[in-house]
Amino acid sequence: AELLKIPLPVSSNRFITSSMSAVENIMIPRMLVLGGAGYRQSMEIFGKMAGMAMPLLFFPSIITSSLATTLVPAISEAISLRNYRSLNNRISKSIQIAFMVGFVFTAVFLAYSGRISDIIYRREDVGDILYMLSFTCVFLYLQQILVGVLNGLGKQGISLRNSIIGYIIRIGFVYLCIPRYGIKGYIWGIAASFALISVLNLSAVVRSTGLVLD
């Protein structure tokens, strides 16, 4: 029973978020069509965002996702040794790295979205979508770090709850905003969900550890 407390919430998190992501991806082209776009045009817009712009956005997360993975045993070790100074130091440094990576790549994507699109995808116009998505970088990378911290603290259930809240918000934006504002409405939903998840996860970390952010 004790062993199930760790893998069960993590596995449930993957299953539930994957299911909600599938629902979201099915809805997006339909809502674009409902907003007046043709079927082919809606699939083209969705393909540019999900298949071209999003992978560029997630590429720098190699740094933060790797760090989040290594944080789990490091935080668990610090807790088992009751070394709370080391625990808070590791969490603080990780959050600082997430902010640094986020701000750097936000600036890069804001300044060079068109050029990056032209170099990688040639004639496909992905720059505008990448420009809009760049505002989510900080929250995306911070969220990954905080999920690793919560897993290390044994708070997988909280991480699952917050992820579900984030997906509900995104699906709400898909349903309500895409027909009126197009793909921009969905990108607003991504930014809002990542920001809220980051705030909720950070609040949970502060409550659990007494962390004082530098």
Side-chain angles (χ1 to χ4, degrees), residues 40-115:
R40 180 176 293 181
Q41 184 186 9
S42 68
M43 293 304 296
E44 181 182 349
I45 295 170
F46 178 63
K48 285 181 178 180
M49 187 204 63
M52 295 180 174
M54 291 296 284
L56 292 176
L57 196 73
F58 277 96
F59 180 73
S61 70
I62 293 172
I63 300 169
T64 50
S65 61
S66 300
L67 180 58
T69 302
T70 59
L71 271 175
V72 176
I75 289 174
S76 298
E77 178 190 20
I79 291 174
S80 64
L81 297 174
R82 297 186 178 180
N83 190 347
Y84 298 110
R85 183 175 181 178
S86 174
L87 171 68
N88 286 344
N89 182 60
R90 290 171 182 177
I91 295 173
S92 294
K93 292 296 182 185
S94 301
I95 291 173
Q96 289 173 8
I97 291 171
F99 272 113
M100 288 171 60
V101 173
F103 283 123
V104 166
F105 282 97
T106 295
V108 169
F109 290 141
L110 279 174
Y112 302 107
S113 56
R115 189 172 299 178

Side-chain angles (χ1 to χ4, degrees), residues 6-195:
I6 297 175
L8 192 58
V10 174
S11 301
S12 300
N13 193 340
R14 292 296 181 111
F15 175 75
I16 293 172
T17 54
S18 296
S19 300
M20 298 183 79
S21 177
V23 171
E24 180 183 67
N25 291 335
I26 291 169
M27 288 179 64
I28 291 171
R30 294 186 177 186
M31 293 300 107
L32 286 169
V33 171
L34 194 63
Y39 179 75
R40 180 176 293 181
Q41 184 186 9
S42 68
M43 293 304 296
E44 181 182 349
I45 295 170
F46 178 63
K48 285 181 178 180
M49 187 204 63
M52 295 180 174
M54 291 296 284
L56 292 176
L57 196 73
F58 277 96
F59 180 73
S61 70
I62 293 172
I63 300 169
T64 50
S65 61
S66 300
L67 180 58
T69 302
T70 59
L71 271 175
V72 176
I75 289 174
S76 298
E77 178 190 20
I79 291 174
S80 64
L81 297 174
R82 297 186 178 180
N83 190 347
Y84 298 110
R85 183 175 181 178
S86 174
L87 171 68
N88 286 344
N89 182 60
R90 290 171 182 177
I91 295 173
S92 294
K93 292 296 182 185
S94 301
I95 291 173
Q96 289 173 8
I97 291 171
F99 272 113
M100 288 171 60
V101 173
F103 283 123
V104 166
F105 282 97
T106 295
V108 169
F109 290 141
L110 279 174
Y112 302 107
S113 56
R115 189 172 299 178
I116 292 170
S117 170
D118 292 339
I119 291 172
I120 297 177
Y121 297 120
R122 301 292 180 178
R123 298 174 184 174
E124 299 293 338
D125 184 18
V126 185
D128 290 342
I129 296 175
L130 183 60
Y131 178 88
M132 290 186 287
L133 283 170
S134 64
F135 293 98
T136 68
C137 284
V138 173
F139 300 117
L140 168 62
Y141 308 143
L142 178 61
Q143 174 194 337
Q144 291 178 328
I145 291 294
L146 292 172
V147 167
V149 172
L150 287 173
N151 287 341
L153 293 171
K155 305 292 183 180
Q156 296 87 354
I158 294 176
S159 176
L160 170 60
R161 181 199 65 192
N162 295 343
S163 295
I164 292 173
I165 292 172
Y167 266 102
I168 290 172
I169 289 173
R170 283 166 62 168
I171 291 173
F173 270 84
V174 169
Y175 184 75
L176 297 173
C177 295
I178 287 182
R180 185 171 182 180
Y181 300 106
I183 202 65
K184 287 191 295 185
Y186 175 62
I187 294 173
W188 296 339
I190 293 176
S193 67
F194 283 167

